[in-house]
Amino acid sequence: MSTTPTTLAFEELAEAIKGRRSDYGHISGLQLDRFAPGEAWSSLPYRPAFVGDTATGVLHGGVVTAMLDESCGMAVQLALDGTRAIATLDLRIDYQKPATPGVDIKAHSVCYRTTRSIAFVRSTAYQESEDDPVATATACFMIGANRTNMLADRRMDARSIPTLEAPDDPDGPFARSPFARALGIRVNDDGTLTMPFSPQIIGNPILPAIHGGMTGAFLETTAIIGVARELGAAAPPKPIGLTVNYLRSGRALDTFADVSIVKQGRRIVAFEARAWQDDALKPIATAFGHFMLRPTPGSDEE
């Protein structure tokens, strides 16, 4: 591990970011396509394992969340000098429309301000045109979050990185959600959900720590399952917006989550979810968001 931080020239910094992404970023196939100081253009190839509902082929919202989290992190690193670790403090996602099945997704992220300890970022996920977004995001990152430096402390190509696969489970609760199956998420008898720790969900491999986007994806999945179960909905609700607050690092442990409905309207539901590891009273992250309820087949709203 490096003992003395070394400032990188900008081109070297960009090349380091390209080759030393988070483990999940590497597994997902996320690429840094173009860069400028504080600005990153990235792309994510479409994969069947990313699908949230096989009935439509649309990407799981958690895939978009994880991509935007990672892309925002790239923009922050491109605004710095490569000597300091960063960590997501909060991430807000607004879903504009479902991603078109079978089409790669892109993101343009801009770190528009940095202070001594905080970086502020905004990002747009899109497919054909940035003017027609799939989702938009705003985020805050802590600068100097820990003493590791992923850009200097290890080489990605020296690690054995697993692949992202979605095992079949035709009778399980995620039979139609390959991405939830790829993360190994399961529903417990008490209504909570578990995301088992695995190498494929690592963000910072030096600590190691769970990728913030994976925590966000898990919280969103928990909310979808829990709200649908609580309301007896025949179809999963449609995400509108989600704000994730990261309270502490997700360690190399299994993670648990639950959800509660904050307010229910005729078409919109507000929810709050929380994720924890070895102590339910000390959550590692919380999320607040809104879903739109899908009309019941045969109803007047269909």
Side-chain angles (χ1 to χ4, degrees):
M1 183 176 293
S2 299
T3 57
T4 302
T6 302
T7 299
L8 298 176
F10 183 71
E11 293 293 331
E12 292 180 300
L13 174 65
E15 288 302 316
I17 293 170
K18 282 184 178 182
R20 300 175 190 178
R21 292 154 291 166
S22 72
D23 280 10
Y24 170 76
H26 184 82
I27 293 166
S28 71
L30 182 67
Q31 298 290 333
L32 176 61
D33 300 322
R34 190 156 57 97
F35 51 85
E39 203 162 357
W41 290 262
S42 57
S43 61
L44 182 71
Y46 180 89
R47 293 184 179 180
F50 291 156
V51 171
D53 187 348
T54 52
T56 62
V58 172
L59 294 181
H60 192 291
V63 173
V64 180
T65 297
M67 180 194 187
L68 286 170
D69 179 51
E70 180 108 1
S71 299
C72 285
M74 289 179 175
V76 173
Q77 291 284 24
L78 288 164
L80 303 175
D81 59 9
T83 65
R84 289 165 288 179
I86 62 172
T88 317
L89 290 175
D90 63 59
L91 176 68
R92 176 180 172 84
I93 306 288
D94 291 302
Y95 295 103
Q96 311 291 322
K97 67 173 188 177
T100 302
V103 180
D104 295 353
I105 191 166
K106 304 172 185 177
H108 178 199
S109 303
V110 179
C111 180
Y112 59 91
R113 177 172 169 77
T114 60
T115 68
R116 183 176 179 179
S117 56
I118 304 295
F120 301 89
V121 200
R122 54 177 174 259
S123 185
T124 302
Y126 60 98
Q127 290 180 301
E128 300 300 332
S129 170
E130 192 172 342
D131 295 329
D132 185 22
V134 169
T136 54
T138 56
C140 292
F141 283 73
M142 179 184 292
I143 301 172
N146 53 67
R147 295 184 179 182
T148 68
N149 185 347
M150 286 174 57
L151 300 183
D153 288 349
R154 64 90 170 91
R155 293 187 59 83
M156 179 67 72
D157 57 12
R159 296 176 54 82
S160 176
I161 304 298
T163 58
L164 191 68
E165 299 178 351
D168 291 333
D169 186 14
D171 300 320
F174 302 111
R176 290 172 43 177
S177 182
F179 188 65
R181 298 200 308 273
L183 299 185
I185 298 173
R186 59 180 183 265
V187 181
N188 304 315
D189 293 339
D190 62 358
T192 63
L193 272 69
T194 298
M195 181 174 67
F197 177 77
S198 67
Q200 65 188 17
I201 65 171
I202 291 176
N204 185 334
I206 303 168
L207 293 174
I210 296 173
H211 194 293
M214 294 294 93
T215 301
F218 178 45
L219 284 166
E220 182 174 326
T221 301
T222 299
I224 290 172
I225 290 292
V227 168
R229 180 184 60 237
E230 180 72 17
L231 300 181
K238 178 182 178 181
I240 299 172
L242 179 75
T243 299
V244 183
N245 292 299
Y246 297 92
L247 306 177
R248 49 180 50 87
S249 178
R251 293 174 291 156
L253 300 170
D254 291 355
T255 305
F256 309 92
D258 60 13
V259 63
S260 58
I261 293 176
V262 177
K263 183 177 181 181
Q264 178 187 350
R266 188 167 62 92
R267 299 184 62 191
I268 306 297
V269 173
F271 65 86
E272 186 170 9
R274 65 190 183 105
W276 69 92
Q277 293 187 310
D278 52 358
D279 187 343
L281 298 179
K282 295 181 179 180
I284 63 169
T286 61
F288 178 83
H290 293 85
F291 288 146
M292 178 177 290
L293 299 178
R294 301 179 191 271
T296 303
S299 68
D300 294 338
E301 294 183 40
E302 188 181 14

